[in-house]
Amino acid sequence: MANYGMAFDYKLCINCHACEVACKEENGIDLGAKNHRLWIQEDAAVSGDFWNLERDKVEFMQMQCQECQDAPCMAACPNGAIYRDENGIVRLHKDLCDLTRACMSACPYDARYVDEKNHITDKCIFCADTRLARGETTTACQITCPAKLRYFGDLDDPESEISKVLTSRKYFTLKPEHKTKPKLFYLE
Amino acid sequence: MNIIETSRRQFLQGSVSLCIYATSTLSSPWRTTKTSNKKTTNTPYLCNMCRNKCAGYARVENGIITKLNPNHHFPKSRNMLCQKGNAGIQAIYDEDRLKYPLIRIGNRGDGRYKRATWDEAYEYIKEKLVTIIDEQKDNRSTVAYCNGEGFNKDEYIKFFGSKLGSANFLDEGSICLNTKLGATQLTIGDVGEMDVAGSDYMIISGANRYESLITPDSVDMIHSKQKLVVLDPRCTVTATKADEYLPLYPGTDLAFCLSMIYIALKEELYDKKYVREYFDDFKKLKSHILHEKYTSKWAESKTHISAKKIEQITREFFAASNPLYYLGRRSVWSQNDFQLRRAMVLINALAGSINRKGGIIFGKPIKLDDEAINEPIYDNAQGRFDLDGIVYGSQKGGSWLNFRQKVLDKTAPYPIKAMFIRKHNIMQNMPNIAKTKKMLEMMDLVVVLDTMPSDTAMMADVILPECTYLEREDMVVSFNRLEPSLALRNQVIEPLYESKSMQDILKGLGKKLSVPLFNVSAKYDEDLQESIKEDGMHKAFVEGGYDMAELYHYTTTQRNKKLITKQFGKEVYNSLKEKGVWYPYMKEQKELFNDFYEYYPPEKRFYTVDKRYRVKASLSKLEKAGFDAMPTWHKRYDFNLHEDKFRVITGRYVTTTQSATANNVMLKDFHEENFLWINDNDAKRFGIEKGDSVVVMSSLSSIVIKANPTNKIAPNVLWIPHGFGIDSQEMTNAYAKGASDNMIIEDKFEKIYGCATMHETNVIIRKI
C-alpha cells in the first residue's frame, strides 16, 4: 500500500531517450514511435538567425500519464474499466476495455495510446505489473536515467525522497486549469 | 530457420539478397518481451553498444534476456544505462545476425555465400594463407589485420601480431582520436584523463557530450554547477544546454585557442608559478604568439566570434579555480588538428590545470599483469609502411588512409595479400568507400569476424560469426585514473546459433594454422632452420613459440580467475564475478541522492600524483620535419567558401554508434534515416524545404539525402549524421536507409599522426 507519484528535475533532461527504450523493453511495449507510455516533448525555442540564436535552456519535458487524483479517463470510460489500484495508480481491467477510446479523448495530457497487440488503451502505470510487482522500488525509466532526474516514491511517506524533494523545492503540475490534481510534479 | 541451400541458390539467381543466414524478412519484426513479476537471476555484464563499457545487470528469464539495467557499483558509468545500452537486447536477438561460418560463392560484395562448418571455414583460410605466405617467402606482414574499438583488441594483436608475425595492424585511432592522444602525450608526457566533475569552468570545442555520451563526462556535466562554454558550427543539444554558446565556422577553433593564449600572455593571466616550474620553451611560445599577433580582433575575423566575447571567456577561464579546456574525443577534423589539440593542452597548462582537480589529471590507473606468451621471431617479416611520411603516427594502430593508399598505388614495399577484419566496418567507417572496396578486391583472402552482416562482411571470402557481448566472458579490464576500478564482462547467456567468442575462434584458427605456417617458415627462415637442426622439429616449434593457440589452452574464465586471484586475491575476483566491478572503496560507496552515488571519497581520488613531467611548448622534431613546432595559424585554414559551396561536417545522432547500431530495430524507431542539416537561409536560396531530397556532390561522388533546413547550423555548412546508407542487403532494417557520409568525404589526412581529416570536404548541392 503506497501512494505513488513522480517528480521531475526536468531541466536536467538531455533527451537521450534512455527512459523511452527502458520503458519499452521492461514493459514489452511494441516497437513503433506511436506506441509509447512515455515520451519527451521538445519545447525547443531556438529562434533567430544562426549567428544570433536565442536559446531557451529548457528544451525537454518528460511526458506520460500524470496519475491524476481526479482522473478524467476514469470518469469517461463507459465500461468502468479504469480503476485505481492499492498503490494509487490508475489501472485498467483489460478484459473490460473494448477500445471505445473515450479515455483517450478525455485525457488532457494525451497519455494513452492504442496497444494493438492487446487491444486496449495503454499508458504508464509506474511498472506496476513488472518491477513493482516483484518488489522493486524503482521504475525502469527512473533507474536508467543518466541525469537521475526522475524521483519516484510514496507521496504518503514523509521520509520518502520524493516527499522530501517536494517539501524542499518549488514545483508545478501540468495543465492545472483542468483541475485533475496530477501526482506528477515538475521541479523548478 | 529457413536455410536456402546452395543448390537452390542458382534457382533464385537474379535476386541479390540470397542470404542463407537471414531467416526470413517476412517474419514479424522482433518485439519486446515484457518482464515478468517474478524475481530471477541478474548477471553483471559490461555494455558494448558504444565505446564506454558501462556496467549493467542482465535480467534473464527462461534463458532469454528480457531487460538490461544499470549496475550501481561502477564508478565510471554512474548507475546509468543509456538508450543504446537498453537497446542491447535487440542487438542480441537481431534476426539478421551472422549465425554460421560462411564461405563466399559469388563475387565480393554480392552477398552470395554458402553455409560452412567451422572446420571447413578454418580449412579454407589455412589453404589460402599457406599459399600466400609461401608466395611471399614468409613475410608475415603480407597479412594485414584490423580491429575497431573494444575489448579483446590486445589479444587479437597478440595472435596476428606476435604469433602470426604481421607488423600491419590498423585500428580506429587514425579515423578517430589519435591527434588528441598524441598531442597530449607529446605536450605533457601522458594522455591523461579529463576531470570534468572537478572543473568549475569548462570550454568544449565541437565535442557533443550530450548527444555522444561519454561516461562519466556526460553524466558529470549534467550534475556539475560549472560554467559551460560550447563552440560549435552547429547548435547541438550540448550547445543548447551550455551557459554560453559561441557559434563559429568549422575548423577555426584553433584561431580561438591561439587568441586565448595571446590574451593570457599579453594580460599575464596565466599561472606564473606553474609556468616557471613546468614549462619548456615558454619564452619561445610567448614570442611566437605575440609576434603572430593572435589578437581577439584577429580571431574574430577567422571564427565569427566577437573579439569582446573571446576576451571575456579568456578572462573568465583564467580567473576560474579549476578551469578545463575539454580536449574532445573524435578529434580528426582538419589539417590543423594536432596543433589544435596541442593548443588546448597548452591553455590548460597555462592555467595550471594539469595534475590537479578539474584539469587534465594523470591519476593512478590500476595496472593489470600481462599474460606473457612466447613470441616467435620471423626473419623475413618486414616492418609496417603506413607511417612512412608521417611525423609521429601511432606505432600501434597506424594510419588507415596512408596504408590504403599505399596498397592501392602499390607503393608499399611488399604486397598486402590478406586481411583479417574484426569489429571494424571499414566499408563504412573511413572516407572514400570506393577506395576501401578496391583495396579489398585486391586481396587474395579477406576474413571478417563480426556479429552482423555489415558492408565489410559482404566483402569477405570467409565470415566467422562472433558472439555478442552478452554471450561471452571477456578478460578483466582496468578503467579510469581518478577513480580507478576493475570491471569484468561476465557471460549472461550461451552463444546463439553457431557463433563463438573471439577467443574460441582464435583457438580454432591457431590449432589449424600453427603447424602449416611453421612449415612455411621452416622453408625460408634461416634462424628457424638452424634451431630445427639443433633441437629437432618439435622442440623448435614449442620453444620458438609457434603454437598460435598458446593463450587459449585455458578458457577465458580460467584465465581471469588465475590472473585476478594471483594479482589481487580472491575477494576481488568474487566481487568481479558477483558485482561485475571492484574498486577499493566499494563498502564506503554512498548514495548522494535518487540512486546517484559517490564512489571514491573525495580525499581518496587521485587528483594530484607524484609524477615528473614537463610541458613542451615547442616540438623540435616537428620543426625538423618541416612542420610548425608550435600551434600556428595558416591562411589555408581560413573558412572561405563561395556562397554556393558548402563544407561537410559529420557526427551522429544520440541513438546511434556509427554504423554499429544501424540495424537495431529499437534505435531505428528514433531515426529511420539520416537528414542533412542545412542552414535555413541557404535552404531558402536553393528552394529546399524540409524533407526535400537533395543531391550532395563532392569531387568523389554524390549522395541523395533528405534535407532538414534549420537555423541551428552555420551558413555554408552541411551536417551529415554518420551510420546510415548501409549497402548490405542483409541488414534488413538498415539497407538503403538514408545516405553514407563517407561516400563523399574526401580521403585527406594530416601528416603528424596520419589521421583522416573528416571536415575538409567542400561540396555543391542540388534539389531534386
Side-chain angles (χ1 to χ4, degrees), chain A residues 10-33 37 42 44 46-53 55-60 94 117 129-131 133-136 138 140 142-152 161, chain B residues 30-39 59 66-67 69-70 79-83 86-87 89-90 210 213 219 222-223 232-235 237 239-245 247-249 303-304 591 593-596 654-655 665-666 669-670 679 681 711-715:
Chain A
Y10 71 103
K11 291 175 188 172
L12 300 182
C13 182
I14 56 169
N15 197 21
C16 70
H17 306 292
C19 50
E20 295 165 73
V21 178
C23 172
K24 283 200 170 194
E25 295 288 5
E26 186 81 61
N27 297 299
I29 311 299
D30 268 0
L31 296 170
R37 286 182 170 186
E42 202 169 332
V46 179
S47 54
D49 134 85
F50 174 73
W51 299 114
N52 305 290
L53 288 177
R55 293 172 304 136
D56 180 352
K57 276 187 74 174
V58 181
E59 257 202 326
F60 310 112
K94 289 179 185 174
K117 189 165 60 185
D129 56 354
T130 52
R131 298 177 74 97
R134 52 181 190 255
E136 291 173 28
T138 56
Q142 185 272 334
I143 198 66
T144 216
C145 176
K148 290 286 172 281
L149 64 84
R150 294 162 178 267
Y151 291 82
F152 172 73
E161 201 163 5
Chain B
W30 171 262
R31 285 169 196 271
T32 51
T33 307
K34 184 174 173 173
T35 61
S36 76
N37 56 7
K38 297 188 178 59
K39 288 194 189 329
R59 180 180 168 83
T66 55
K67 184 70 179 67
N69 286 300
N79 196 22
M80 73 93 158
L81 196 65
C82 78
Q83 63 293 348
N86 273 281
I89 291 177
Q90 308 297 343
Y210 287 156
L213 304 181
V219 179
I222 295 172
H223 296 293
D232 204 309
R234 195 166 71 86
C235 184
V237 171
T240 310
K241 290 274 173 181
D243 297 289
E244 297 227 31
Y245 168 48
L248 86 171
Y249 286 120
T303 60
H304 204 290
E591 188 180 346
F593 66 93
N594 204 18
D595 296 299
F596 191 79
V654 70
T655 48
V665 276
M666 179 62 78
D669 266 3
F670 296 102
N679 178 274
N681 293 324
N711 58 353
K712 291 186 181 179
I713 190 164

Side-chain angles (χ1 to χ4, degrees), chain B residues 82-105:
Chain B
C82 78
Q83 63 293 348
K84 291 182 281 190
N86 273 281
I89 291 177
Q90 308 297 343
I92 314 314
Y93 298 113
D94 191 323
E95 293 190 345
D96 293 339
R97 256 182 74 173
L98 294 167
K99 301 183 174 77
Y100 322 105
L102 296 166
I103 296 175
R104 180 168 64 85
I105 53 169

